[in-house]
Amino acid sequence: MDKQEKLIARLFKDTLIIFLLSMFAEKAGTLIDGILTGKFLGTEAIAAFGLTMPYQNFAAMFIRVMALGMQILCGKTLGAGKLREANGIFSLALTAAGGSAILLSCGTFIFPGQIIDLLGDSTQHGEIRTQAIDFLQAYSFALPAIALATIFTPIMQLDNDRRRTVFAVVLMSVCNIAGDLINIFVLNGGLWGMGIATTISYWIAVGFLFLHFLKPESNFKFTLEAADLKNFREIFLVGSPVIMVNLSLVLRKNIFNRLTLNLTGGTGLAAYTILCNFSALLETFTEALVSTVQMIAVIFIGERDGNSIRKLLNIAFRLTLTVTPIITVISFVAAPFIAEIYTRNDPETYLQAVEAIR
């Protein structure tokens, strides 16, 4: 390994650790949400939560497109010393993502029953359908906060305030877990209460991230005067690869939800939800790896440094081949324990969850 590759490897490691910490903290909150729902609210509750997952992915799709396009274009313009243009791109992406999230929030709150009917044939499972509607309505209030957090996070990376992202995610997870526990043991609020706890935790995290923009040394400011509508097309096109990933995720989860609900009922859907919930934690490494490569590659692309890009990809490829087999083996061996922490007095769901994880 030559000197240049050592420098790239060090930058790669430092950036990967930041992404891993922030994503792990975020996924840990989601993981504990699923565990508490399955353990204390029961099989029907976690099945209802699983029924809403395709819509959660769909609702975040356009927001993620804007965030990725903004991140790459802002990185290129900052590298070229065009701060005003970068602020315009940031402001345009924030407006588009926030506006779409507000519209989705209103639609989700007003038409939760129709959305659930599109997600699966739950009419024969009345309790699952009712709880899914409850969660979706409560979750609708979180969509604008999710949009803001998704746009703010890469800006923290570009504006040299990476630790704030980690602290914000930890704060969100702690508040979410505390809210879940209060909902379960004090308020008995069911899935509606779980959705409200998620919403409150997201808004608290967004408030903490927003403090960055009040700092005098912050480079990024919201200013529509610097925004050029012509950049919207480029933001969308650059971020468009996210569409394929999210659409495949939405379709896959929706198809499997329908199949498991129709063939095995609420028990099968609960087991599949357990798999999806735990898999989100397993995917943390690959997602952090992709985000790290994107973040560093933007710099090299701006400098037209093809040699460094090849070395970056080589480092990422070697690490992937080393870590992913280890994750696979651990998941297979630990499947019974994983299923146990999600279930309570439900042997059928437990057995199906073990099979699904393996």
Side-chain angles (χ1 to χ4, degrees):
M1 184 181 291
D2 58 31
K3 185 176 181 180
Q4 183 189 25
E5 191 166 356
K6 286 181 180 179
L7 290 173
I8 294 173
R10 182 174 179 179
L11 175 62
F12 181 88
K13 182 186 73 171
D14 292 344
T15 307
L16 179 63
I17 289 173
I18 293 294
F19 274 115
L20 275 174
L21 289 173
S22 61
M23 289 182 178
F24 179 80
E26 180 181 359
K27 296 295 177 68
T30 303
L31 181 75
I32 293 174
D33 266 356
I35 291 172
L36 293 175
T37 299
K39 202 74 173 177
F40 296 103
L41 299 184
T43 298
E44 290 181 331
I46 196 167
F49 176 74
L51 195 61
T52 69
M53 286 196 301
Y55 184 74
Q56 293 182 47
N57 291 123
F58 172 79
M61 182 167 58
F62 179 73
I63 297 167
R64 289 171 179 166
V65 169
M66 290 291 102
L68 177 60
M70 176 203 69
Q71 176 183 338
I72 294 174
L73 292 180
C74 281
K76 290 174 65 176
T77 51
L78 280 179
K82 300 176 181 178
L83 180 58
R84 178 177 170 80
E85 186 176 343
N87 272 303
I89 292 169
F90 160 63
S91 302
L92 192 60
L94 183 61
T95 301
S100 67
I102 291 171
L103 290 175
L104 270 175
S105 178
C106 294
T108 304
F109 183 80
I110 297 171
F111 303 109
Q114 290 83 343
I115 293 171
I116 293 300
D117 291 340
L118 289 173
L119 295 175
D121 184 14
S122 59
T123 54
Q124 302 301 317
H125 306 274
E127 184 60 28
I128 292 176
R129 184 177 186 276
T130 300
Q131 292 196 50
I133 290 173
D134 285 346
F135 178 81
L136 214 54
Q137 279 194 312
Y139 182 77
S140 68
F141 299 117
L143 290 175
I146 292 172
L148 294 175
T150 304
I151 295 296
F152 286 166
T153 297
I155 293 301
M156 302 298 115
Q157 307 288 332
L158 293 170
D159 213 11
N160 296 317
D161 199 0
R162 297 176 181 177
R163 292 184 179 180
R164 184 176 295 273
T165 302
V166 178
F167 292 149
V169 174
V170 171
L171 179 63
M172 179 181 70
S173 298
V174 170
C175 292
N176 193 17
I177 293 167
D180 287 346
L181 293 173
I182 292 171
N183 173 62
I184 291 169
F185 295 110
V186 180
L187 302 178
N188 297 314
L191 274 190
W192 167 267
M194 301 296 272
I196 291 298
T198 298
T199 296
I200 293 173
S201 64
Y202 261 107
W203 280 108
I204 290 173
V206 165
F208 183 73
L209 289 173
F210 179 75
L211 294 176
H212 167 83
F213 301 98
L214 301 181
K215 295 163 58 177
E217 63 270 26
S218 172
N219 288 313
F220 283 91
K221 306 292 181 184
F222 180 79
T223 168
L224 284 177
E225 293 180 0
D228 186 347
L229 287 176
K230 294 179 182 178
N231 286 330
F232 178 81
R233 180 176 179 274
E234 190 173 3
I235 294 171
F236 184 83
L237 289 176
V238 172
S240 60
V242 172
I243 296 176
M244 185 62 68
V245 175
N246 275 261
L247 274 181
S248 63
L249 196 62
V250 169
L251 291 173
R252 187 191 73 195
K253 287 186 177 180
N254 185 246
I255 291 170
F256 274 91
N257 277 353
R258 287 177 176 273
L259 287 174
T260 53
L261 189 60
N262 290 331
L263 295 176
T264 59
T267 300
L269 182 55
Y272 178 62
T273 303
I274 290 171
L275 169 63
C276 291
N277 185 258
F278 185 74
S279 293
L281 185 65
L282 298 182
E283 292 162 3
T284 299
F285 170 75
T286 53
E287 290 178 3
L289 189 71
V290 169
S291 296
T292 299
V293 171
Q294 287 176 344
M295 179 66 67
I296 299 174
V298 165
I299 300 171
F300 295 146
I301 290 171
E303 297 174 351
R304 300 184 182 276
D305 189 349
N307 185 48
S308 293
I309 292 174
R310 285 191 291 272
K311 290 180 178 180
L312 171 66
L313 293 176
N314 186 41
I315 293 168
F317 185 68
R318 290 202 307 265
L319 187 61
T320 300
L321 290 180
T322 303
V323 175
T324 50
I326 297 173
I327 294 175
T328 301
V329 172
I330 292 174
S331 301
F332 184 87
V333 173
F337 171 75
I338 296 166
E340 176 65 28
I341 63 176
Y342 277 93
T343 56
R344 181 183 63 180
N345 301 324
D346 191 345
E348 187 177 354
T349 302
Y350 167 78
L351 292 173
Q352 290 194 34
V354 171
E355 293 176 359
I357 293 168
R358 284 182 166 173

